[in-house]
Amino acid sequence: MAILVTGGAGYIGSHTCVELLNAGYEIVVVDNLSNSCSESLRRVKELTGRDFEFYPINLLNRQDLESVFRQHRIEAVIHLAGLKAVGESVSLPLRYYHNNISGSIVLCELMQEYAVKKIVFSSSATVYGTSESVPISENVPLGATNAYGRTKLMIEEMMRDLHVSDAAWSIALLRYFNPIGAHSSGRLGENPNGIPNNLMPYITQVAVGELEELQIYGNDYSTLDGTGVRDYIHVVDLARGHLKALEKVMATSGVEAYNLGTGQGYSVLEMVSAFERVTGRSVPYKITARRPGDIGMCYSDPTKAERELGWVAQKGIDEMCLDSWRWQTYNPQGYGIFHYESQPVI
Ligand code: WQD
């Protein structure tokens, strides 16, 4: 019996595959490689010494996806595949609704057909919208403010309806806060296309000289130093949260949402100074206007995941910065050009 990982070649997916394989699971990976590359999966095999099947297919291609269900005895699904750039979703909403929602519908229809009713779904803290009451717990009112967040919210609701229609479904909805960091080997990491939207890959590209300086989007929020506060979580902690959620859905039925965060917020300026402290690199920046759609404070109450999944984030901000920096220095072009033979520049 195998665990099907959709989007398994991506940033979260590749780290989750490492944890699954190291825990002894058999896995099968599908990924359309629209925002990832198969090199990450080659490295997953290298890091774990384990082999697995990978199908470069699109969830929207029902025939291709069905052939995977026919060729493998799938026990449960970890569903990570999806477009995830907030800004892009605002300018290309139909692409996001079609890819994320229709893809999830095709997946769930085939799961139903093949009597696979256990799924861990990659949701996001963006389903909380502009909730400024922090720390955010799972039962605050939901309300996304962009197309990307709305696709996550709608898929959550679709899965709840699935369970209402058939109580045999066992579903964990994992609401990610801000994943950063990389595998400690420096062989897996975040590999954004073009100029990074997110803070940490932008910081590492400034630190290595790829980009000139960091624009800090606003310092007039009602936070300690005026810059935005977020709940950064190490991607390996996040990956391990998927294994705990998988154990839960394998053992029970029902639908539950869980925050995957540390419960600790850090401002942009705190992230910059932590990064400079642990790497010895400087990160020149300038304060600019707020980014549309941003909120001031967002950090989690992760105690439900601790109570019900037995999961707590272990890695602190220093490790997140160091691992991000090692990934950057080992892989200046991401997966495009393989890492230099040199040691990390720390
Ligand atoms: C973090 C902080 C910015 C870049 C996003 C997605 C969300 C989720 C996590 C998928 C904010 C500031 C950033 C920069 C900056 N992804 N910043 N200069 O916006 O909290 O969440 O990633 O689920 O859906 O929206 O993350 O890293 O973009 O921003 O000042 O160049 O850093 O204003 O305060 P965000 P982020």
Side-chain angles (χ1 to χ4, degrees):
M1 296 283 270
I3 307 298
L4 173 62
V5 184
T6 76
Y11 175 43
I12 313 296
S14 54
H15 287 85
T16 301
C17 288
V18 165
E19 299 303 319
L20 286 164
L21 292 165
N22 286 342
Y25 287 97
E26 297 298 320
I27 68 170
V28 175
V29 175
V30 296
D31 196 308
N32 68 0
L33 301 179
S34 66
N35 189 26
S36 56
C37 66
S38 60
E39 171 60 16
S40 68
L41 294 174
R42 198 191 63 73
R43 297 185 187 188
V44 167
K45 292 180 181 177
E46 169 204 294
L47 287 168
T48 60
R50 299 278 313 277
D51 201 2
F52 54 87
E53 291 297 326
F54 162 55
Y55 300 90
I57 64 169
N58 194 319
L59 298 188
L60 292 166
N61 187 320
R62 185 190 172 89
Q63 204 175 350
D64 286 353
L65 187 59
E66 179 159 17
S67 72
V68 176
F69 279 85
R70 255 208 314 279
Q71 293 174 68
H72 300 272
R73 287 183 60 217
I74 304 296
E75 189 172 12
V77 175
I78 296 183
H79 179 28
L80 309 173
L83 297 174
K84 62 162 187 168
V86 171
E88 186 184 57
S89 79
V90 175
S91 48
L92 298 171
L94 293 179
R95 182 167 177 229
Y96 272 68
Y97 284 110
H98 184 51
N99 184 79
N100 292 4
I101 297 179
S102 306
S104 299
I105 291 172
V106 171
L107 173 68
C108 290
E109 284 176 335
L110 284 168
M111 288 178 69
Q112 204 162 40
E113 222 169 287
Y114 285 80
V116 181
K117 296 180 180 177
K118 297 179 179 302
I119 184 168
V120 175
F121 172 59
S122 162
S123 189
S124 164
T126 37
V127 301
Y128 294 118
T130 54
S131 155
E132 291 257 2
S133 63
V134 287
I136 300 176
S137 68
E138 289 84 354
N139 48 24
V140 302
L142 305 180
T145 57
N146 54 69
Y148 161 74
R150 271 186 279 274
T151 67
K152 292 297 184 181
L153 195 46
M154 290 178 192
I155 296 164
E156 284 198 12
E157 292 305 301
M158 177 183 85
M159 292 192 175
R160 289 184 189 281
D161 288 337
L162 255 184
H163 177 255
V164 169
S165 73
D166 175 355
W169 279 89
S170 185
I171 301 166
L173 309 169
L174 302 185
R175 294 172 180 165
Y176 303 169
F177 279 71
N178 287 59
I180 62 171
H183 191 268
S184 57
S185 65
R187 304 283 286 139
L188 298 177
E190 192 168 3
N191 188 34
N193 293 328
I195 305 285
N197 294 309
N198 294 139
L199 180 65
M200 185 50 85
Y202 205 105
I203 285 178
T204 59
Q205 289 195 22
V206 169
V208 80
E210 270 298 300
L211 294 170
E212 195 185 328
E213 65 179 1
L214 171 69
Q215 280 83 39
I216 297 184
Y217 300 139
N219 66 347
D220 57 350
Y221 289 103
S222 44
T223 63
L224 209 61
D225 58 28
T227 61
V229 169
R230 295 291 185 275
D231 183 334
Y232 297 96
I233 174 172
H234 197 293
V235 64
V236 172
D237 276 329
L238 189 76
R240 289 171 179 163
H242 289 73
L243 266 69
K244 290 292 189 182
L246 180 64
E247 285 169 22
K248 174 90 173 3
V249 300
M250 300 292 278
T252 61
S253 62
V255 190
E256 287 296 342
Y258 297 101
N259 288 338
L260 294 192
T262 63
Q264 164 81 47
Y266 285 97
S267 74
V268 179
L269 284 174
E270 286 174 321
M271 290 300 285
V272 169
S273 52
F275 184 89
E276 290 182 328
R277 174 170 48 77
V278 297
T279 64
R281 310 291 291 193
S282 76
V283 179
Y285 66 80
K286 72 178 177 200
I287 305 290
T288 62
R290 290 184 177 191
R291 180 172 62 176
D294 270 1
I295 58 175
M297 296 269 270
C298 176
Y299 59 90
S300 69
D301 168 359
T303 50
K304 182 180 176 187
E306 181 177 359
R307 216 176 31 254
E308 296 187 12
L309 303 181
W311 172 88
V312 182
Q314 303 291 323
K315 296 174 182 285
I317 206 70
D318 289 7
E319 201 170 347
M320 293 182 215
C321 292
L322 267 180
D323 289 343
S324 300
W325 179 232
R326 188 180 302 107
W327 160 254
Q328 174 66 51
T329 51
Y330 268 28
N331 309 270
Q333 307 298 323
Y335 293 114
I337 298 175
F338 299 151
H339 72 284
Y340 297 155
E341 293 316 311
S342 64
Q343 288 309 308
V345 182
I346 293 180

